[in-house]
Amino acid sequence: MENQAEARTTTLAILPPELVQMILELAWENDWMKRMMFTKYPLICASWRPIAQRILFTHIILRDADQAIKFLQAVSLNPALGQYTKILFFWPEVYINRRIGLTLVREITSMCPWVYYLVIRIPVDVEGHEVLNAIHPHTYASLKALNIYFTGSNRSTSLTLNDVFHFLNRFTNLSHLTLEGLPPLKESSVLPRATGSISPNLYELNIDPPTQQQLHLFRQELDWFLIATNPETLKIVELKFAPQNHFDLFCRIFLRERGSGLHSLRLWVNEDTILNSNVQLSVVCPGLREIVLPDCPLVKQVMEILPVDKLEHLAFAHIDGGEEEMRRVKEWIITLPRLRYVTIYRRGRTSERDIRSFWEEQALEGIT
């Protein structure tokens, strides 16, 4: 037994660090349920510790103030751990105590200078501008993706779109931006007089407007987005939960200006909203390679609205109608000469066997 243990130890010791890292990364990525066990990996072998710590501290989700305090203590004792953090989430519960929460955001972002994806969820009882201003300048150059989510019904009403615009101007390398539950524009709001976009590299924009936003104020928001984006670089646009009038306005105002350069359009809206639209997406977005739809609507109706000539990736939010809906998907496939991938986010009553059979019949490269 001792010889066997010694042989295993020797084998582990002679493995190249790159191979050990690959093994541990696969263990981390392939089983979400066992990630809690991963915290013990740094204790298994001294040579594993730096590799396991690097993986553990890459993606940090801080769900409350206690977790944030423990994380801050860890990176304060060993600043190298903060250097590993690339993805950082702050949940609203971090701000249970407003003063402590803002301090935690400031201190943690100062200890994590290489974060490239930051998610900030702003609770209803905390001023939005205070949270945004608490983010340390260390992140301004490194940040590539930013998600700002305004929770609660008042949407941090003291924060205006002008404030958000000027805040975003600090991030010179931002390529992915998600704004969920934006603070509504007030009647007296003045759009920023800017001649350039928030970031010259902005590639993806995700919009989730307030559900009760008045139409004329949403129009002002769309004008703001036109100022904030660069038609040369913007390639992906996502719109969530927009009612009919807002969707039509989005198509007429925003897509007519930015649609010609888009490669991907992700519409998380009601199926009827798309079908009842009086805007021909095939005209305003002729170059789409990817489209996300809420469901699989009737083929003849969709063909008159959507561009299909260049589509390589077709995605549905849910396919839950069983064999009948899969038959309609097959009708879609026949009309898409360049299609290579299909994504179904929720399959409902549609069996995995039906989906697998469909994939094999259509000779697609991938279906997920």
Side-chain angles (χ1 to χ4, degrees), residues 213-224:
Q213 180 72 296
Q214 296 181 32
L215 193 61
H216 71 286
L217 295 181
F218 183 59
R219 165 64 187 265
Q220 293 184 48
E221 283 191 7
L222 294 175
D223 289 336
W224 182 87

Side-chain angles (χ1 to χ4, degrees), residues 22 25 70 100 152 171 181 187 205 207 215 217 230 257 281 283 287 313 324 328 335-336 362 365 368:
M22 187 178 299
E25 286 176 348
K70 291 177 181 177
I100 293 176
F171 300 95
E187 297 287 351
L205 175 65
I207 307 171
L215 193 61
L217 295 181
N230 182 349
E257 292 289 334
L281 293 178
V283 175
H313 180 201
E324 175 60 22
R328 287 160 58 187
T335 66
L336 303 175
Q362 306 305 319
E365 290 185 26
T368 55

Side-chain angles (χ1 to χ4, degrees), residues 35-56:
R35 285 193 173 184
M36 290 301 294
M37 296 174 58
F38 201 92
T39 57
K40 302 184 184 300
Y41 282 26
L43 307 176
I44 294 175
C45 175
S47 63
W48 284 27
R49 186 174 298 116
I51 299 172
Q53 286 179 336
R54 187 180 300 115
I55 297 171
L56 278 170

Side-chain angles (χ1 to χ4, degrees), residues 183-248:
L185 276 170
K186 300 180 179 66
E187 297 287 351
S188 59
S189 294
V190 178
L191 289 169
R193 296 178 179 178
T195 56
S197 61
I198 36 183
S199 171
N201 302 311
L202 193 63
Y203 181 83
E204 177 177 343
L205 175 65
N206 303 319
I207 307 171
D208 178 11
T211 54
Q212 303 300 321
Q213 180 72 296
Q214 296 181 32
L215 193 61
H216 71 286
L217 295 181
F218 183 59
R219 165 64 187 265
Q220 293 184 48
E221 283 191 7
L222 294 175
D223 289 336
W224 182 87
F225 282 124
L226 287 175
I227 293 174
T229 57
N230 182 349
E232 300 298 324
T233 60
L234 187 66
K235 300 300 178 185
I236 301 173
V237 170
E238 177 174 290
L239 179 67
K240 293 183 178 179
F241 313 123
Q244 186 71 60
N245 290 340
H246 289 62
F247 179 75
D248 290 342

